[in-house]
């Protein structure tokens, strides 16, 4: 294969030593959070992975090159840049062929992580079936990626701006294991409990690593979704969020926000409408996911 991937010095060393690595996405930095909280969070998430004994690999396309692991200055530039494309499966090759800059979504980060042989990836919340999808057909490519690319994704469930029951129905149809971490119900991103029963439940990183390895032995395509609830101290109750999400959704419809712009618009409006509280919760849940992903990566690396 003559694809050249640029590894950060830290990730290159980890690969040479078969040390645990956790992939991290970059759309959350460029399209999911405002500056400067985005760069502060990106640095803290990387630090959380390191403290838990693994190496962070933030993924992005810079000048057409696929980077797996960013040096501090590259991360900083990405977080400030205003003209970065949001890359999903459909856009990755085009951006690279044109020599462009792009931030990877869950789908594109999974593709890059798999190319770099990194089995675990931490994010905030995956994309899914949008509310009103029966009319708009807006279903994130993240769901199909989970069905085809063998990476274990640690998220606080799907973002609560989505239609969660439909999102989890689609994952069931696609044969994606959805594993709630330590509870019987699925989390709802900013809130711990969606009241939807979890199809699977696990208590330890070792169990998640074991099922990841078993899928590989079975030759099953696709990854696992680990739904890790936000810590109790950081959650926003669903009752507080419901009217805010409804208002943001109504505004998106009134303004004909569509396609890739929907998720960034909703996250930004909810940030404004909650006076910043949604961002604090978002940051807390990403850090929590980074720590669990590092533990899973460590378990998988040990077993190799
Ligand atoms: N998680 C967050 N914030 C985000 C995202 C995830 O906490 O901004 C991003 C991810 O990159 C995810 C994307 O893949 O939102 C989903 O976008 P869409 O709904 O357009 O597929
Ligand atoms: Mn979409």
């Amino acid at each position: 294969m003559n694809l050249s991937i640029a590894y950060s010095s830290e990730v290159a060393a980890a690969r040479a030593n078969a040390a645990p690595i956790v992939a991290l996405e970059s759309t959350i930095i460029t399209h999911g959070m405002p500056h400067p909280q985005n760069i502060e969070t990106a640095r803290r998430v990387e630090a959380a992975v390191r403290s838990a004994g693994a190496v962070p690999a933030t993924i992005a396309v810079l000048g057409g090159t696929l980077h797996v692991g960013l040096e501090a200055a590259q991360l900083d530039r990405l977080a400030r840049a205003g003209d970065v494309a949001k890359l999903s499966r459909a856009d990755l090759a085009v951006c690279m062929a044109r020599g462009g800059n792009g931030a990877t979504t869950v789908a594109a980060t999974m593709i890059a992580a798999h190319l770099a042989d990194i089995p675990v990836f931490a994010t905030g919340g995956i994309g899914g079936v949008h509310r009103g999808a029966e009319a708009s057909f807006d279903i994130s490519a993240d769901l199909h990626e989970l069905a085809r690319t063998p990476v274990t994704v640690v998220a606080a469930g799907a973002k609560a701006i989505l239609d969660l029951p439909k999102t989890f129905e689609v994952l069931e149809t696609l044969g994606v294991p959805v594993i709630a971490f330590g509870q019987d119900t699925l989390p709802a991103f900013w809130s711990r409990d969606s009241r939807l029963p979890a199809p699977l439940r696990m208590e330890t990183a070792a169990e998640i690593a074991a099922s990841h390895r078993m899928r590989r032995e079975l030759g099953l395509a696709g990854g696992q979704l680990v739904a890790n609830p936000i810590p109790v101290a950081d959650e926003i109750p669903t009752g507080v969020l419901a009217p805010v999400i409804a208002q943001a959704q109504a505004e998106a419809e009134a303004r004909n926000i569509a396609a890739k712009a929907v998720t960034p618009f909703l996250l930004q409006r909810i940030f404004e409408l909650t006076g910043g509280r949604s961002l604090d919760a978002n940051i807390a849940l990403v850090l929590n996911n980074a720590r669990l992903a590092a533990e899973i990566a460590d378990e998988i690396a040990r077993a190799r």
Side-chain angles (χ1 to χ4, degrees):
M1 194 170 73
N2 52 20
L3 169 69
S4 98
I5 295 177
Y7 295 101
S8 63
S9 47
E10 194 183 14
V11 171
R15 283 166 56 82
N17 301 322
I21 303 172
V22 172
L24 300 167
E25 64 152 303
S26 45
T27 295
I28 189 170
I29 303 172
T30 55
H31 294 72
M33 293 186 183
H35 190 82
Q37 288 96 333
N38 63 348
I39 180 66
E40 287 161 15
T41 304
R43 290 198 194 111
R44 286 177 67 195
V45 171
E46 291 200 344
V49 170
R50 290 188 195 101
S51 327
V55 169
T58 301
I59 292 173
V61 175
L62 303 177
T65 299
L66 180 59
H67 285 255
V68 173
L70 298 179
E71 306 298 346
Q74 293 170 328
L75 190 64
D76 208 67
R77 242 179 288 133
L78 186 75
R80 281 170 199 282
D83 58 343
V84 182
K86 175 177 165 184
L87 307 180
S88 189
R89 168 173 277 266
D91 323 288
L92 185 60
V94 174
C95 180
M96 291 173 65
R98 286 180 176 159
N101 297 318
T104 51
T105 61
V106 168
T109 306
M110 288 180 75
I111 294 168
H114 181 50
L115 283 169
D117 200 24
I118 301 172
V120 184
F121 159 33
T123 183
I126 62 161
V129 181
H130 279 268
R131 297 173 187 208
E134 53 276 38
S136 69
F137 273 50
D138 189 346
I139 301 177
S140 177
D142 292 353
L143 301 184
H144 292 273
E145 205 59 51
L146 279 160
R148 66 196 293 178
T149 302
V151 172
T152 288
V153 178
V154 184
K159 283 187 280 286
I161 53 175
L162 301 165
D163 185 322
L164 294 183
K166 288 194 183 74
T167 297
F168 291 112
E169 282 295 344
V170 170
L171 286 168
E172 184 183 330
T173 301
L174 294 173
V176 176
V178 175
I179 303 161
F181 190 65
Q183 64 181 33
D184 289 328
T185 54
L186 292 162
F189 198 64
W190 298 288
S191 317
R192 285 177 66 79
D193 190 355
S194 66
R195 304 215 173 138
L196 299 168
L200 298 162
R201 169 179 174 159
M202 289 186 189
E203 314 297 324
T204 65
E207 284 173 274
I208 298 164
S211 58
H212 179 98
R213 293 197 309 272
M214 188 57 71
R215 291 180 62 84
R216 193 156 53 199
E217 280 178 36
L218 286 166
L220 292 177
Q224 312 188 103
L225 176 63
V226 178
N228 186 28
I230 184 172
V232 179
D234 301 299
E235 80 163 327
I236 309 179
T238 18
V240 174
L241 278 170
V244 170
I245 295 172
Q247 183 182 334
Q249 177 75 33
E251 289 179 16
E253 277 163 38
R255 295 173 56 173
N256 288 318
I257 309 283
K260 281 171 183 293
V262 174
T263 296
F265 175 85
L266 292 175
L267 291 176
Q268 172 63 24
R269 277 307 280 147
I270 292 165
F271 165 72
E272 290 159 9
L273 294 168
T274 59
R277 197 173 166 197
S278 67
L279 180 58
D280 295 339
N282 198 344
I283 293 168
L285 66 86
V286 181
L287 291 168
N288 192 46
N289 295 340
R291 288 185 287 264
L292 177 57
E295 282 179 48
I296 299 166
D298 186 54
E299 293 287 347
I300 293 174
R302 276 168 204 279
R304 272 191 177 182

